[in-house]
Amino acid sequence: MEPNSTYVFLITVSLLIILSYLYNLLAQKTNIPSVLMLILTGIGLAELVKATEFRVPELFPILEVLGTVGLIMIVLEAALDLKLTKDKTPIILKSFLTGLAGLVISAVAIAFVIQFFNDAPFGRALLYATPMAILSSAIIIPSVHGMRHDDKEFMIYESTFSDILGIMLFYAIEERFKVSSGAELLGGFTGRVAITILFSLLISYGLVLLFQNIKTQVRLFLLIAVLILLYSIGKLEHLSSLLIILVFGLVLNNYKLFFRGRMKKWIKPDAVVEMGEAFHLITLESAFIVRTLFFIVFGMTIDLVSLLEIGVFLKSMIIIGIIYLIRYLVLKLIKKRSFEHLAFIAPRGLITILLFFAIPDAYTIPTFESGVLLYVIIISAILMTVSLIQDAKRREAEAVLAPIEPEKILKDEPED
């Protein structure tokens, strides 16, 4: 490594973060997801590295660490945006059912495709299919900011549920290879979820009560460190660790709902609100940094040669067709009204990549081409871009055609 390589690295990272910020501004104007631009930047950076013969470290371990931290920050950021009220019950229920049905049906259908083309056991095919059936909250949450409030809220809930349920399903399928019966698998899975929810609630209550009394300036990063610690311990114990992060965010953002009756006396509303606002800002900034680095590093790992094979392209198109057909039917059945413009907002991303690389060596399918995964991620992002642009144009047209309300006319008239 050259003596000045450290400074070259720092300059590169700084420029990439600045570039990511500009991508966000461009995304707000064009509705092109910044994530897609980051991946393309990573591909270009990889080609530049090859041309200059600059040595870089092994990227997959870095990708795994960035992805895990990014996942925690993104889910926490989403949870801190969600308000649990009675009037939210229908949208929460519909988004949960849509996320669950879309995940399970898509995973099973994609598994049959993988089994057919790769001559693999269905269990292994399902393990490969599950990551591709999961919506990416890492892409959706920062991309739907311009949509109508109810659509934006629905997509945030649905993508978060899809992430959590998808991870749980993936590890349940992996556990299937270690148990002797379906009943044993179902019992173990249900037990772990119940234990995780109970543990999450207890931890969340304890953390809110503890950190509302800490006055030092470093308490928020201390809390993030505690959450990452709990997430990692949960993963080692095969718990649904993402539930810990989600429940903590919901408790912090909806403390009035969780601290009721006698527990009201335990809480300091001003301190909790202040902590929630500051925490939201830090998670937002942290998620931005981690997401930037993750997708650029991912772009650098893409093998462009694998995208040039006709067979890979055709398999990918079949899988993508299945994904969107199932999504359309599920939305039509569950959401029923005003769902067409949401049908193509179904990108795959961070979770898909993380789980794909988490498949144990013992359960791999040697004939499966990674190019299929890349096509699904890239094309789903492009389809979302087109859908968001069309949605923006539709809302602009509605705004132009909408009649001016009488109250607004009176308000706009100059006073005598």
Side-chain angles (χ1 to χ4, degrees), residues 30-70:
T30 63
N31 285 305
I32 299 173
S34 58
V35 167
L36 188 58
M37 291 183 268
L38 291 172
I39 293 174
L40 293 175
T41 300
I43 293 173
L45 190 60
E47 296 303 314
L48 181 62
V49 167
K50 290 178 184 176
T52 57
E53 297 183 352
F54 188 84
R55 288 184 296 173
V56 295
E58 176 62 36
L59 293 176
F60 284 112
I62 298 173
L63 197 65
E64 185 175 6
V65 172
L66 287 174
T68 301
V69 176

Side-chain angles (χ1 to χ4, degrees), residues 198-385:
L198 179 61
F199 177 71
S200 301
L201 283 171
L202 292 174
I203 286 295
S204 299
Y205 276 111
L207 289 176
V208 171
L209 292 174
L210 174 63
F211 278 86
Q212 71 174 350
N213 295 308
I214 296 178
K215 305 299 181 184
T216 59
Q217 296 297 317
V218 296
R219 61 176 178 166
L220 296 176
F221 277 105
L222 175 63
L223 183 51
I224 289 174
V226 171
L227 291 175
I228 293 175
L229 175 65
L230 292 172
Y231 177 89
S232 302
I233 292 173
K235 293 298 292 182
L236 292 175
E237 295 299 322
H238 302 291
L239 299 176
S240 302
S241 295
L242 211 57
L243 278 175
I244 300 173
I245 308 302
L246 179 66
V247 170
F248 170 76
L250 291 175
V251 170
L252 181 59
N253 197 41
N254 301 271
Y255 69 93
K256 290 181 181 179
L257 178 65
F258 290 92
F259 290 88
R260 305 169 71 176
R262 292 182 180 180
M263 287 193 293
K264 280 185 179 179
K265 300 177 182 178
W266 302 352
I267 211 75
K268 299 177 181 178
D270 292 340
V272 174
V273 170
E274 180 188 354
M275 181 171 65
E277 290 174 351
F279 206 40
H280 189 278
L281 179 61
I282 286 180
T283 54
L284 185 66
E285 298 280 357
S286 301
F288 165 73
I289 297 294
V290 175
R291 186 164 47 227
T292 294
L293 298 177
F294 177 86
F295 284 106
I296 287 176
V297 172
F298 173 66
M300 294 179 68
T301 64
I302 291 177
D303 180 14
L304 295 178
V305 176
S306 64
L307 300 178
L308 301 178
E309 298 179 15
I310 297 298
V312 171
F313 178 77
L314 292 176
K315 293 175 192 176
S316 304
M317 291 301 103
I318 293 172
I319 290 174
I320 289 167
I322 288 172
I323 287 172
Y324 287 101
L325 175 61
I326 290 172
R327 177 162 178 77
Y328 181 88
L329 294 175
V330 168
L331 283 170
K332 185 175 182 179
L333 179 64
I334 296 176
K335 201 171 187 299
K336 296 181 180 179
R337 292 182 297 178
S338 301
F339 70 89
E340 291 85 356
H341 60 293
L342 302 179
F344 287 99
I345 304 179
R348 272 55 181 166
L350 192 148
I351 299 293
T352 300
I353 299 164
L354 279 181
L355 293 184
F356 183 78
F357 289 119
I359 296 174
D361 292 338
Y363 310 138
T364 56
I365 301 175
T367 56
F368 183 85
E369 304 96 336
S370 60
V372 173
L373 182 75
L374 301 179
Y375 266 122
V376 170
I377 292 170
I378 293 171
I379 293 177
S380 64
I382 292 172
L383 289 174
M384 185 185 76
T385 300

Side-chain angles (χ1 to χ4, degrees), residues 382-400:
I382 292 172
L383 289 174
M384 185 185 76
T385 300
V386 175
S387 181
L388 288 174
I389 292 172
Q390 290 178 342
D391 180 67
K393 289 180 179 178
R394 178 178 59 84
R395 284 185 288 105
E396 287 176 4
E398 289 175 354
V400 170

Side-chain angles (χ1 to χ4, degrees), residues 162-182:
S162 182
D163 277 357
I164 293 168
L165 294 170
I167 291 171
M168 293 165 62
L169 177 63
F170 177 86
Y171 286 105
I173 296 168
E174 183 187 348
E175 191 71 18
R176 170 191 173 277
F177 294 100
K178 304 174 185 176
V179 298
S180 57
S181 67

Side-chain angles (χ1 to χ4, degrees), residues 71-197:
L71 175 61
I72 293 171
M73 292 296 106
I74 289 163
V75 171
L76 188 55
E77 178 192 347
L80 290 171
D81 276 330
L82 301 180
K83 286 288 185 182
L84 300 179
T85 56
K86 287 184 179 179
D87 61 309
K88 301 289 184 187
T89 302
I91 195 170
I92 292 174
L93 182 60
K94 284 185 178 182
S95 60
F96 175 82
L97 291 175
T98 303
L100 177 61
L103 170 72
V104 174
I105 299 172
S106 297
V108 172
I110 295 170
F112 279 117
V113 173
I114 295 174
Q115 183 184 36
F116 176 80
F117 282 108
N118 298 94
D119 192 25
F122 183 77
R124 295 192 183 191
L126 190 59
L127 197 62
Y128 272 72
T130 300
M132 288 186 281
I134 302 173
L135 296 179
S136 174
S137 62
I139 297 178
I140 288 175
I141 291 172
S143 299
V144 297
H145 57 85
M147 299 186 73
R148 289 189 319 179
H149 180 72
D150 55 337
D151 288 336
K152 172 182 168 183
E153 207 167 31
F154 179 86
M155 291 308 308
I156 289 175
Y157 275 113
E158 186 195 4
S159 62
T160 304
F161 284 135
S162 182
D163 277 357
I164 293 168
L165 294 170
I167 291 171
M168 293 165 62
L169 177 63
F170 177 86
Y171 286 105
I173 296 168
E174 183 187 348
E175 191 71 18
R176 170 191 173 277
F177 294 100
K178 304 174 185 176
V179 298
S180 57
S181 67
E184 184 181 348
L185 170 63
L186 181 61
F189 176 71
T190 305
R192 281 197 302 276
V193 172
I195 291 171
T196 304
I197 292 174

